Amino acid sequence: MKRDVLSEEDYDEVCRVIGDAVIVLAEGGYETQRAVIADLLMKTRQDRTNSERDEQKILEHAIRLMKP
């Protein structure tokens, strides 16, 4: 995925979400490999099916960036 698909603000938010996922995994003693991060983000997206469209869009972009 190219960065220009997102606005700069959205790209920054995607990076923040990925960073938060890494911190949560590391604090829990889990691996922080791309596949593990993508799995966590997919679970989060599934758990938040009733969330705002923007939040879903950010999670979807974060998952695409992290898929191995």
Side-chain angles (χ1 to χ4, degrees), residues 18 22-24 33 42 54 66:
I18 293 169
V22 170
I23 291 168
V24 167
Q33 297 167 335
M42 284 187 273
D54 287 343
M66 295 313 301

Side-chain angles (χ1 to χ4, degrees), residues 21 58 65 67:
I58 296 298
L65 281 173
K67 278 189 179 177

Side-chain angles (χ1 to χ4, degrees), residues 14-26 30-45 58-68:
V14 167
C15 291
R16 186 195 63 76
V17 167
I18 293 169
D20 287 351
V22 170
I23 291 168
V24 167
L25 289 168
Y30 296 96
E31 294 289 324
T32 57
Q33 297 167 335
R34 292 176 77 106
V36 176
I37 296 166
D39 286 344
L40 175 63
L41 293 170
M42 284 187 273
K43 182 178 181 333
T44 300
R45 185 185 62 195
I58 296 298
L59 283 168
E60 289 168 11
H61 282 289
I63 291 164
R64 275 188 249 155
L65 281 173
M66 295 313 301
K67 278 189 179 177

